[in-house]
Amino acid sequence: MLKLNYEKLPYQQKAVKAVVNTLSGHNDLTNKMVLEPEQLDESVQETLLNNNEKYKGTTYLKPFPQFNIEMETGTGKTMVYLQTIMALHKRFNENKFVIVVPSRAVKAGVEDSLKKLKSYLSNIYNTDKYHYFVYDSKQISELQNFAGSNFEIMLTTVQAFNKSTNVINQEYNEGFFGGRPLDQIKDAHPVVIIDEPQSVDGAKAGKEAIVSLNPKVALRYSATHKDKQYPMLYEFGPAQAYQDHMVKHIETLGTEVDTNGNVAFIQLKEKPTTTGNSLQAKVIAYKQVGDELKKKTITLNQNDSLFKKTKNPQYKSWGRVVEINRIDDFVEFENGKQVTLGNHEGEAHIWLQSQMEALIRDHLNRELKMQDQGIKVLSLIFLDEVQNYRVYTSDGAKNGQYAELFEKLYQKIIKSDPKYQNLYNYNVPVDEVHDGYFAQDKATKKKVAIYRNTKGDTKKDETAYDVIMKDKEGLLTQYIPGKPDTNTKAAKLRFIFSHSALKEGWDNPNVFQIMTITTPKNDLTRRQKIGRGLRIPVNQKGERIYNDKQNVVTIYASETFEEFANGLQKEYLEDGVVSNKIDANTFAGLIIKNHSSQLNNEESDDTELVDNDSDMVNVTEDKVVMHKITHEESDKFAQALQESKVTNNKRFITVTGIRSLTQEKKQEVIKKATEKGISHETASSMMDYFANQFKAPTITNRHNREQVKIVNIDNPFLNDLWEKIAKKINYRVEFTEDTLINDIVNGPNPLSEIQLEKMTAVQTRAKISVSKAKITNGLLSTNTAHIENLDLPIIDITRQLADQVGLTKQAINKMILETDKKNPGFIQKIKLNPALFVQRAKQNIKAHESKLLNQSLVYVLNGEKWDKNNLKEFSAEKRTLWSIPSRGLQKTLFDKIVVDSDEERKFATQLVNEEKIKYFLKLPHWFKIPTPFGNYNPDWAILAEKKDSECLYFIADTKSTTDRTKLRNDENARIEAGKRAYEAKGMENIIFKAPIVVVGNLDL
């Protein structure tokens, strides 16, 4: 069975850090939360400044501090707030947490995470494990545990405590000290995590319910925040998620059916509108156009005849329009037919068959590409009604029309091409590759089990959640013929059908196809649809696979690509996720730093401005002012953007305008803003914020490229330099597995020196005992005891290490046994903390591998040379080019060079100015040194001349630092390989220098 691996993702760590830093007052030494309003507000402003977020004033502090954290769907929101809980517990010794969710679906997902992440989170945060419980009004005694001193997390839906009639809000004469069960939570003064706050406390009852918990602080996590008055401590929105490749790309597939009018097709195109005192509707229908019937948009009013409007006899029996309804969005005709949004009346079955066939074919083709990577492909189909997939009878459940259609199409397609015979699943019976997850009424003696159409928030829906949550890893497990452990129902299942049960709270990283069979009452938003399949897929080792070319989720939509894209954009706008209009609100509230010289001269230098309603929020000791941008300043800057044509005449952002934002254009905008009375520092800050928030898609445009010309091909220095550096080399590595094991056991930094802290991997057991602090009515509370894990089999360690370092289990076993033989007690030491040992041993083994690779790396000339004729003129993006000053053109080949950083630009300037440098060349991308760590493309070839006319030939690589401890491991490995390459026989005349920052590092 597949087991998910968890990855430390930088953006998730930043989200956790933003909360901890804020609540610590940005003080690394404090171990208590900063909750005093004035101090906390100062800390919040600093966080907002660091993250380019807006400050809305102090209303968020009452009745208790609340903060927003935005995490795009599919980026691990639950993981982030569970890690935040661990960080707050470890840093501030906070022990009481309540997670409030909006529905049973979300609750089921969070409960699954609490269960599976318990040990992992304890290990990575080096702290004790939490005890969690899911609030159940029938198990009210669980609340007694919440009053103790243990590390407790309670999970509940808001519906469990937002009404006076809820059990938790009832007065008890006995138990709970004669009060309400809710008082146990209030007295604990917990940290409250609100999952999807727009659904939890969007209404008055929800807000009052959260207040009733008496929170110390509330942390609000969502992809679509509605209440914007709370400070946004961290934001990882849709744009950032896609730019950072942390979610799948999205594609849509729609089917346009054209029966040439043979079917009486009609579809409501958009919601009916009001014109004067009457309603009007636009429908798509087949209309007579010349000799053909074509789909056209027809405008209908009350009493209109569709037949007369279209001249199509198919509609003659429909009669006139009898009702246009804006509430339920339909048009009804005299024959009783209703036309609805998204419904392909007349062609529905053809559309459904086409879409399902496309989904199955795409699914099988993806499987062919991914099965050898260990990636199991899943498809998710949302139904309009359960009975269309599954019908219940006295003899049990039977296939509905959609299940029958699916099986027919699947068998047809998988047998349509011999290539599909290579699929692991080729011989799996069709009835085992699909299944449904629905809410269910349990069977009784008098009736059979019945599957229900629900909205995903009823008690019955839990029957669906329980099954699919238990199957999560099973669903990701790849069925492989001949492997008994994969011969399971879940492993064979690849096509999942559901009603509303899976619209939220559940997603699976390996969902690549999503289809929605729509109805007029379908309430799935486009964001909900794509959200089920945005996560990055995992392989059979539970590892994420980052591959932009194949990480695509396909939406089989009932609309065109443009309609889907525009609709998704509209949802983002409505949710406040994106806004493409720049106005007085865009920058207002942003906190920036201005030097005190920017203040009005009437202000004294030592004035401390703390009035949150004023423009100046705080003055620090070094005379730097925290300035809150006003609506007036925001409006003036918006005018400057409009005048500079970055936005259009209605102040909407255009792609052309964004792409025009060169350094010169930015300075133009800043200048116009300062002319309107905004300080240069404030205008520059707004420009930086704007450029960071609104980035145009990267699209190659040849008009934005520039030709790089050769100016000095016959220079004798070039010929001399090229003759020296053009020799090609190969490498070989000479060490065995036994050499590696010996080095790990007996060499420097041996395995035995790995340090394991006993407390970081202890097991926490729930032990029932009587609390000495509070003994009430003999109730038991949970206590945790730390014990040493002495019984973990060594085979678990070897398997995990072998998978992660690329060695055999036998090799891992041998190095551990030999280390134990040399250092008795080593294996017992491992058992104290096996999880930590795996992580540290992995790094140790990889360090030895890298060292031996470099030590045994031998380079030899292969007799070939890089051809000088390949040094040709080329084109590159303007923004990457640096023009060689005229005084330097005689010292290099091209009139411009491609620079990747400011460091390279500065270094190139020094090469031009330094008299000892006679010639230099920015090495082309094809000039590569082969290494075991990937091809290495150094930056520069340089010819220098000393005072005695001795020539020195360099291959050099520029970095931002000469301190190799600050470089990545892969950078260091390549540099070390480069060094060895130029020590090869026949390369003695070339000096390899890396890393360097300035010409002085060449030691001329």
Side-chain angles (χ1 to χ4, degrees):
M1 177 74 72
L2 175 146
K3 185 177 181 181
L4 289 171
N5 283 332
Y6 302 106
E7 186 178 353
K8 286 188 176 180
L9 298 171
Y11 69 88
Q12 293 182 347
Q13 300 301 308
K14 288 177 183 177
V16 175
K17 191 175 180 182
V19 174
V20 174
N21 283 351
T22 301
L23 295 176
S24 70
H26 292 271
N27 181 348
D28 292 336
L29 301 179
T30 187
N31 58 7
K32 292 291 182 185
M33 277 194 195
V34 172
L35 296 175
E36 191 279 319
E38 190 171 319
Q39 284 182 296
L40 180 58
D41 193 48
E42 289 180 7
S43 181
V44 166
Q45 290 175 35
E46 185 170 347
T47 300
L48 298 180
L49 171 66
N50 293 339
N51 293 337
N52 274 332
E53 298 291 349
K54 295 182 179 181
Y55 177 70
K56 303 288 183 67
T58 60
T59 56
Y60 71 92
L61 291 167
K62 294 179 180 179
F64 50 86
Q66 297 194 64
F67 304 105
N68 286 344
I69 298 92
E70 180 176 319
M71 303 298 300
E72 171 61 349
T73 302
T75 60
K77 174 188 62 179
T78 306
M79 172 67 87
V80 167
Y81 67 64
L82 290 183
Q83 286 199 41
T84 303
I85 286 174
M86 299 301 291
L88 295 178
H89 170 66
K90 182 176 181 180
R91 177 71 179 275
F92 305 120
N93 199 31
E94 291 296 324
N95 286 329
K96 306 300 172 185
F97 297 86
V98 177
I99 301 173
V100 184
V101 298
S103 67
R104 288 180 168 87
V106 179
K107 183 180 75 171
V110 176
E111 181 182 3
D112 186 65
S113 296
L114 282 167
K115 177 183 177 182
K116 292 173 179 173
L117 290 170
K118 188 174 184 179
S119 295
Y120 169 76
L121 292 174
S122 174
N123 287 336
I124 65 170
Y125 279 92
N126 188 14
T127 189
D128 52 316
K129 294 178 184 175
Y130 51 74
H131 170 262
Y132 78 91
F133 67 96
V134 180
Y135 171 73
D136 184 344
S137 60
K138 295 179 181 178
Q139 301 289 331
I140 200 75
S141 61
E142 283 271 20
L143 288 176
Q144 294 287 359
N145 297 330
F146 207 73
S149 59
N150 300 322
F151 182 11
E152 297 277 348
I153 300 176
M154 183 180 99
L155 172 63
T156 180
T157 62
V158 68
Q159 292 86 358
F161 65 101
N162 65 354
K163 297 182 288 292
S164 61
T165 54
N166 291 130
V167 171
I168 200 170
N169 289 318
Q170 301 302 304
E171 293 280 350
Y172 281 77
N173 294 324
E174 298 179 5
F176 298 102
F177 310 101
R180 299 177 304 162
L182 184 69
D183 294 337
Q184 298 288 306
I185 302 172
K186 291 184 68 173
D187 292 345
H189 204 25
V191 173
V192 174
I193 306 292
I194 307 177
D195 190 329
E196 304 296 349
Q198 73 279 4
S199 300
V200 169
D201 68 352
K204 182 180 178 182
K207 284 182 167 56
E208 292 174 349
I210 297 297
V211 171
S212 74
L213 298 176
N214 190 27
K216 188 174 292 183
V217 63
L219 303 173
R220 310 162 63 85
Y221 291 83
S222 178
T224 54
H225 287 285
K226 298 291 187 185
D227 289 332
K228 302 296 179 72
Q229 71 269 32
Y230 305 115
M232 183 74 76
L233 297 188
Y234 184 76
E235 183 177 4
F236 195 71
Q240 191 66 43
Y242 291 121
Q243 287 168 13
D244 291 358
H245 311 287
M246 287 296 125
V247 291
K248 293 192 189 89
H249 294 289
I250 304 165
E251 68 176 21
T252 66
L253 187 144
T255 297
E256 291 287 336
V257 178
D258 185 357
T259 61
N260 299 117
N262 285 293
V263 174
F265 165 83
I266 184 169
Q267 181 183 37
L268 184 60
K269 184 178 182 180
E270 57 192 41
K271 290 175 71 71
T273 57
T274 304
T275 55
N277 295 323
S278 61
L279 289 172
Q280 195 173 75
K282 290 184 178 180
V283 300
I284 300 173
Y286 282 107
K287 181 181 180 180
Q288 189 77 40
V289 180
D291 295 332
E292 299 180 52
L293 290 167
K294 293 185 176 181
K295 284 182 180 177
K296 295 291 181 180
T297 299
I298 311 295
T299 301
L300 294 175
N301 294 296
Q302 193 82 11
N303 294 318
D304 275 351
S305 166
L306 185 59
F307 164 60
K308 289 183 177 180
K309 287 254 183 178
T310 61
K311 303 290 192 279
N312 183 347
Q314 290 280 5
Y315 303 122
K316 193 169 185 178
S317 63
W318 287 53
R320 297 180 178 275
V321 174
V322 296
E323 183 179 358
I324 299 176
N325 191 309
R326 283 191 66 193
I327 299 174
D328 295 323
D329 297 328
F330 68 81
V331 177
E332 187 172 344
F333 294 84
E334 283 182 313
N335 68 346
K337 293 276 189 180
Q338 282 191 354
V339 182
T340 56
L341 281 171
N343 197 358
H344 301 255
E345 175 65 38
E347 293 179 347
H349 184 77
I350 302 170
W351 173 86
L352 174 61
Q353 180 168 321
S354 300
Q355 290 286 78
M356 193 173 287
E357 188 167 343
L359 178 143
I360 295 169
R361 200 176 299 280
D362 287 350
H363 181 114
L364 297 180
N365 288 335
R366 277 192 170 118
E367 281 186 328
L368 280 173
K369 292 179 182 177
M370 297 185 192
Q371 66 177 8
D372 290 339
Q373 302 173 48
I375 300 173
K376 180 182 176 183
V377 176
L378 294 173
S379 291
L380 178 60
I381 300 104
F382 287 107
L383 303 168
D384 50 1
E385 294 183 342
V386 171
Q387 56 263 36
N388 283 329
Y389 176 78
R390 183 172 290 160
V391 180
Y392 56 89
T393 69
S394 57
D395 296 325
K398 305 290 184 183
N399 279 345
Q401 59 173 319
Y402 294 164
E404 293 286 353
L405 175 63
F406 171 83
E407 291 189 358
K408 172 187 167 185
L409 293 175
Y410 180 86
Q411 289 174 311
K412 168 190 152 187
I413 294 166
I414 202 167
K415 289 180 170 58
S416 67
D417 194 319
K419 68 181 181 181
Y420 294 133
Q421 294 177 20
N422 295 315
L423 290 170
Y424 297 155
N425 299 281
Y426 182 75
N427 291 315
V428 174
V430 65
D431 62 343
E432 294 184 38
V433 305
H434 69 103
D435 202 357
Y437 290 90
F438 312 114
Q440 183 182 30
D441 284 343
K442 293 182 180 179
T444 67
K445 291 181 180 179
K446 295 184 179 181
K447 66 181 180 72
V448 296
I450 299 174
Y451 298 93
R452 295 291 190 185
N453 294 322
T454 63
K455 292 185 177 180
D457 57 2
T458 69
K459 183 71 175 176
K460 294 182 179 66
D461 283 291
E462 293 192 2
T463 59
Y465 308 144
D466 287 346
V467 175
I468 202 160
M469 291 306 171
K470 288 174 184 174
D471 276 354
K472 189 168 185 179
E473 281 76 16
L475 283 171
L476 290 168
T477 299
Q478 195 174 35
Y479 169 73
I480 300 176
K483 289 190 70 175
D485 58 328
T486 69
N487 189 17
T488 64
K489 176 182 176 180
K492 294 177 182 177
L493 175 61
R494 293 131 68 210
F495 297 86
I496 300 166
F497 289 79
S498 183
H499 188 246
S500 296
L502 303 185
K503 73 176 184 179
E504 62 179 11
W506 180 88
D507 49 22
N508 188 298
N510 288 19
V511 170
F512 286 89
Q513 293 81 222
I514 299 174
M515 178 177 170
T516 306
I517 303 172
T518 58
T519 69
K521 296 182 180 179
N522 188 285
D523 59 352
L524 280 169
T525 67
R526 295 170 185 84
R527 292 194 75 187
Q528 284 176 323
K529 290 176 191 175
I530 65 175
R532 301 315 101 210
L534 280 180
R535 289 185 185 273
I536 298 296
V538 299
N539 62 15
Q540 295 306 289
K541 295 179 182 178
E543 302 164 335
R544 288 178 167 218
I545 302 299
Y546 296 94
N547 184 333
D548 277 351
K549 290 184 178 179
Q550 68 182 28
N551 287 354
V552 178
V553 59
T554 304
I555 309 297
Y556 299 82
S558 58
E559 54 194 345
T560 66
F561 164 76
E562 290 83 4
E563 288 169 337
F564 185 89
N566 291 337
L568 184 61
Q569 172 78 359
K570 184 179 178 182
E571 287 175 15
Y572 280 148
L573 288 168
E574 289 173 350
D575 290 338
V577 175
V578 297
S579 175
N580 57 359
K581 185 174 184 179
I582 307 302
D583 55 23
N585 296 312
T586 304
F587 307 97
L590 282 174
I591 303 293
I592 63 171
K593 285 184 178 178
N594 275 350
H595 291 88
S596 56
S597 60
Q598 300 286 337
L599 286 171
N600 190 304
N601 291 333
E602 295 177 4
E603 300 278 6
S604 63
D605 285 343
D606 58 353
T607 301
E608 184 177 6
L609 301 171
V610 295
D611 182 2
N612 292 316
D613 294 325
S614 70
D615 293 341
M616 300 303 172
V617 181
N618 182 36
V619 180
T620 61
E621 292 181 0
D622 60 355
K623 299 182 181 179
V624 173
V625 179
M626 304 278 270
H627 174 67
K628 184 174 73 172
I629 292 174
T630 65
H631 285 84
E632 183 182 2
E633 288 171 323
S634 179
D635 187 59
K636 288 179 178 178
F637 193 79
Q639 292 175 28
L641 288 169
Q642 183 182 350
E643 291 169 8
S644 301
K645 301 191 184 311
V646 177
T647 57
N648 63 20
N649 58 1
K650 293 184 178 180
R651 295 193 181 179
F652 283 97
I653 297 168
T654 64
V655 173
T656 304
I658 294 295
R659 290 190 181 136
S660 73
L661 272 181
T662 60
Q663 283 300 118
E664 293 76 12
K665 175 68 79 170
K666 289 178 183 178
Q667 291 305 316
E668 176 190 330
V669 175
I670 292 170
K671 182 180 178 183
K672 287 182 181 294
T674 55
E675 289 172 352
K676 297 179 186 298
I678 302 175
S679 74
H680 186 275
E681 206 164 0
T682 299
S684 297
S685 295
M686 283 194 275
M687 188 71 256
D688 290 342
Y689 173 81
F690 178 83
N692 186 56
Q693 291 292 314
F694 302 99
K695 295 177 181 176
T698 303
I699 299 174
T700 302
N701 184 339
R702 64 184 181 187
H703 297 298
N704 290 334
R705 300 177 71 84
E706 195 166 293
Q707 194 70 10
V708 178
K709 298 177 182 178
I710 290 176
V711 293
N712 205 351
I713 191 65
D714 297 320
N715 190 304
F717 283 125
L718 169 62
N719 296 331
D720 186 15
L721 179 60
W722 194 257
E723 180 64 27
K724 296 292 190 300
I725 69 169
K727 301 168 186 174
K728 290 186 178 182
I729 49 180
N730 291 339
Y731 74 86
R732 63 176 183 269
V733 177
E734 300 173 337
F735 78 87
T736 65
E737 195 174 76
D738 285 340
T739 304
L740 175 62
I741 292 172
N742 182 63
D743 193 58
I744 290 170
V745 175
N746 301 308
N749 187 29
L751 205 61
S752 60
E753 291 185 2
I754 288 177
Q755 298 299 310
L756 298 177
E757 297 80 19
K758 185 166 40 172
M759 294 301 293
T760 58
V762 293
Q763 263 189 341
T764 305
R765 283 186 181 169
K767 178 183 177 183
I768 298 176
S769 63
V770 177
S771 169
K772 293 182 179 179
K774 290 185 179 180
I775 303 176
T776 308
N777 296 328
L779 290 175
L780 300 176
S781 63
T782 303
N783 186 27
T784 55
H786 303 293
I787 63 167
E788 297 176 354
N789 188 347
L790 296 174
D791 302 314
L792 189 68
I794 195 69
I795 190 66
D796 288 342
I797 303 299
T798 57
R799 184 183 297 114
Q800 291 180 47
L801 270 176
D803 288 344
Q804 295 184 48
V805 300
L807 296 174
T808 63
K809 289 194 293 183
Q810 290 78 9
I812 300 296
N813 255 327
K814 186 175 179 181
M815 68 178 66
I816 290 175
L817 291 171
E818 289 191 10
T819 300
D820 188 67
K821 185 176 179 180
K822 185 177 180 180
N823 302 273
F826 177 68
I827 290 177
Q828 292 303 314
K829 174 182 169 183
I830 293 173
K831 288 183 178 181
L832 296 178
N833 200 329
L836 184 62
F837 171 76
V838 169
Q839 298 306 312
R840 293 188 176 172
K842 177 179 72 174
Q843 298 303 322
N844 181 281
I845 293 168
K846 285 188 173 181
H848 282 279
E849 286 177 330
S850 182
K851 181 185 76 173
L852 288 179
L853 277 173
N854 270 317
Q855 286 179 354
S856 62
L857 201 56
V858 177
Y859 279 93
V860 292
L861 297 179
N862 63 13
E864 298 178 8
K865 290 187 177 183
W866 296 107
D867 190 345
K868 183 184 168 188
N869 291 326
N870 287 334
L871 294 170
K872 299 176 181 178
E873 294 186 352
F874 60 95
S875 67
E877 290 189 48
K878 289 180 182 179
R879 61 183 180 81
T880 66
L881 294 174
W882 180 70
S883 295
I884 304 291
S886 57
R887 65 183 180 280
L889 291 176
Q890 76 279 8
K891 298 175 71 170
T892 192
L893 179 61
F894 298 104
D895 64 342
K896 305 175 191 70
I897 58 174
V898 177
V899 289
D900 299 325
S901 63
D902 286 339
E903 286 78 13
E904 283 193 1
R905 198 183 305 268
K906 292 173 184 175
F907 187 77
T909 304
Q910 293 173 13
L911 291 172
V912 169
N913 294 333
E914 175 56 57
E915 292 181 2
K916 294 177 184 177
I917 303 299
K918 300 304 178 183
Y919 203 86
F920 66 91
L921 183 68
K922 183 73 187 296
L923 289 169
H925 65 87
W926 44 261
F927 188 99
K928 293 174 179 175
I929 302 167
T931 84
F933 319 104
N935 288 330
Y936 177 37
N937 176 218
D939 293 325
W940 307 94
I942 301 167
L943 190 156
E945 193 173 84
K946 286 192 168 184
K947 290 182 180 178
D948 56 4
S949 298
E950 178 189 356
C951 287
L952 299 176
Y953 307 91
F954 293 94
I955 292 290
D957 205 6
T958 44
K959 301 290 181 187
S960 59
T961 177
T962 57
D963 184 355
R964 286 184 59 177
T965 64
K966 295 181 179 179
L967 299 181
R968 300 192 312 270
N969 289 337
D970 62 323
E971 289 179 307
N972 274 318
R974 287 189 178 93
I975 287 172
E976 194 62 35
K979 179 181 175 184
R980 289 187 171 273
Y982 289 100
E983 290 173 353
K985 186 176 180 180
M987 304 286 266
E988 299 92 341
N989 292 331
I990 302 168
I991 303 168
F992 178 76
K993 283 283 188 179
I996 60 174
V997 177
V998 295
V999 169
N1001 297 142
L1002 296 175
D1003 300 325
L1004 299 177

